Amino acid sequence: MSSDKQSAAGGRTLTNQACPPEVTVGAPTGDRLIAAGLIFLLSPVFLVLAAGVALFVGRPIFYRGERLGKRRAVYMVYKFRTLPNGIQKRLGTSLFSEREEILPALARFLRETRLDELPQLVNVVRGEMRLFGPRPERREVYERYGRGDPDYELRFETAPGLFGISQLLTPHSAPKRLRARLDRRYLKAGGHMTLPFFVYAALAMIGKSIAAAGRYSWQNAVGLRMVRGEREKRSQVRITPSQATIQLFDPGMTPPLVSGRILDMNRDYIRARFEAPLPWSFITTHGGRVSIVRRRKGSPRIKNARCHAHVERLLNDEHSGQPEYLLAYSADSTLNRYMVDQYFLKQAIVTRR
């Protein structure tokens, strides 16, 4: 059976190349029983989320899409819908970015907390997935980023998981190769989730869900503040990173011209208090290169993300001695975007202090 679309446990295999013959498709019986129990226990949560998706995101409530499973078997994965209809065809091999679409608050909440993945418990019951393992991949993404990469290929030796190590430890913006490396380390260590880490991850996910629910509920209850006739994006999500500073550089990237302390930030804006007024050339032009730096207390390790920023407005008197500015910024690269999301905005489920 050498066909590229041969039948395998209810799915089609993309190819049989490099697939060990001793590997079989399916999830452990224990995972399937636990998933069935979770569906029963979480049925009220399913009903509430389904009603919310129908009201605020639209129909259909559930998203169905092809994914590659064990031995690259193609199967249909289920999720609560958070993206507009037809978005996957428009994305192709690209990865979704929050900047590409304006999502309803409920959709952003589901994506941030990973609760949109809960319907995949059905996939676990059907034996197409297990509870823990590398996340299932779209065929187009695998063809573009993963084919021939040993870290990527290893993931197909086991059934994909509802939750993966890389999914728990990294934000959505993490580079695919970094996630593949984390998954490979997990699989090389035996591919089993230890009980202490399971409890820690579960508590972290519950805590993140409660915090996000409170934040989104408050924002929609009080409404977004209006600034100059436009919605202020800073009111959506603001984080206060500890020990974080911002440094302004000239085009030659010499030592910083001026430094400031980050008071709060999100994916679009930084509010910072500087030691001195910013150069007039930086304010009157389209901004310039900045570096966001975080030093862990008691550790010599430094996290650094390079970005481009410009002044949105001055928040206090420049002559106050420590002028405060609102800066709009964007990361210089995918890797820098990941650094911001991981170490400054703390967007992973399990965050590192």
Side-chain angles (χ1 to χ4, degrees), residues 114 166-179 181-182 265 267 301 303-307 329-348 350 352:
R114 314 311 199 262
S166 62
Q167 181 198 33
L168 292 171
L169 297 180
T170 61
H172 284 297
S173 59
K176 281 290 182 181
R177 290 188 181 277
L178 173 61
R179 285 195 161 191
R181 204 170 301 129
L182 288 173
M265 63 184 295
R267 288 181 62 89
R301 299 182 63 182
K303 301 301 179 183
N304 184 9
R306 292 186 176 181
C307 307
Y329 79 100
S330 60
D332 280 356
S333 65
T334 302
L335 180 59
N336 283 292
R337 178 75 265 174
Y338 157 72
M339 294 294 290
V340 171
D341 291 344
Q342 177 79 324
Y343 297 104
F344 295 87
L345 297 180
K346 301 286 188 177
Q347 291 191 346
V350 178
R352 306 169 190 177

Side-chain angles (χ1 to χ4, degrees), residues 70-316:
K70 192 171 185 178
R71 300 189 66 185
R72 304 182 192 85
V74 180
Y75 71 100
M76 301 301 293
V77 73
Y78 302 96
K79 300 173 66 173
F80 284 117
R81 190 166 70 86
T82 59
L83 303 181
N85 284 320
I87 188 66
Q88 184 161 324
K89 290 182 180 179
R90 289 157 54 188
L91 284 175
T93 60
S94 302
L95 302 175
F96 177 78
S97 168
E98 298 292 345
R99 295 178 183 273
E100 294 181 26
E101 302 287 342
I102 299 176
L103 300 179
L106 178 63
R108 295 197 304 271
F109 165 73
L110 292 175
R111 289 175 60 83
E112 179 181 338
T113 59
R114 314 311 199 262
L115 291 177
D116 59 328
E117 315 281 2
L118 279 181
Q120 288 166 38
L121 287 169
V122 174
N123 292 112
V124 179
V125 171
R126 293 173 57 175
E128 297 161 331
M129 296 175 62
R130 57 189 304 177
L131 289 176
F132 303 102
R135 291 292 297 151
E137 198 64 272
R138 297 206 320 263
R139 184 204 307 257
E140 298 86 355
V141 174
Y142 165 69
E143 292 288 353
R144 178 174 179 178
Y145 297 100
R147 182 176 287 278
D149 185 336
D151 290 341
Y152 242 91
E153 298 292 347
L154 186 64
R155 69 193 299 124
F156 298 114
E157 295 184 11
T158 184
L162 175 63
F163 297 108
I165 291 295
S166 62
Q167 181 198 33
L168 292 171
L169 297 180
T170 61
H172 284 297
S173 59
K176 281 290 182 181
R177 290 188 181 277
L178 173 61
R179 285 195 161 191
R181 204 170 301 129
L182 288 173
D183 287 330
R184 185 182 184 217
R185 290 178 61 182
Y186 166 73
L187 293 171
K188 288 290 188 181
H192 300 290
M193 179 77 74
T194 63
L195 181 59
F197 186 81
F198 168 73
V199 174
Y200 176 68
L203 292 176
M205 181 167 290
I206 293 172
K208 192 174 185 69
S209 299
I210 293 173
R215 183 173 66 249
Y216 282 108
S217 298
W218 169 256
Q219 290 166 2
N220 285 277
V222 302
L224 296 178
R225 290 178 290 176
M226 307 298 289
V227 177
R228 297 178 184 175
E230 298 181 359
R231 292 182 175 181
E232 184 183 7
K233 294 180 182 178
R234 284 185 61 251
S235 65
Q236 295 179 9
V237 179
R238 283 188 286 175
I239 302 296
T240 304
S242 61
Q243 306 294 319
T245 59
I246 181 170
Q247 300 173 342
L248 170 64
F249 292 88
D250 67 8
M253 294 299 290
T254 55
L257 297 174
V258 62
S259 299
R261 182 169 64 90
I262 295 178
L263 303 177
D264 60 53
M265 63 184 295
N266 72 354
R267 288 181 62 89
D268 298 293
Y269 294 99
I270 294 174
R271 183 169 66 98
R273 182 174 296 141
F274 287 86
E275 301 168 347
L278 296 182
W280 186 246
S281 60
F282 185 88
I283 297 175
T284 57
T285 62
H286 294 293
R289 188 68 58 82
V290 300
S291 184
I292 306 172
V293 180
R294 181 171 179 263
R295 292 176 171 83
R296 290 185 62 183
K297 193 173 182 179
S299 172
R301 299 182 63 182
I302 296 176
K303 301 301 179 183
N304 184 9
R306 292 186 176 181
C307 307
H308 184 277
H310 67 268
V311 175
E312 190 78 8
R313 66 180 185 272
L314 176 66
L315 298 177
N316 67 356

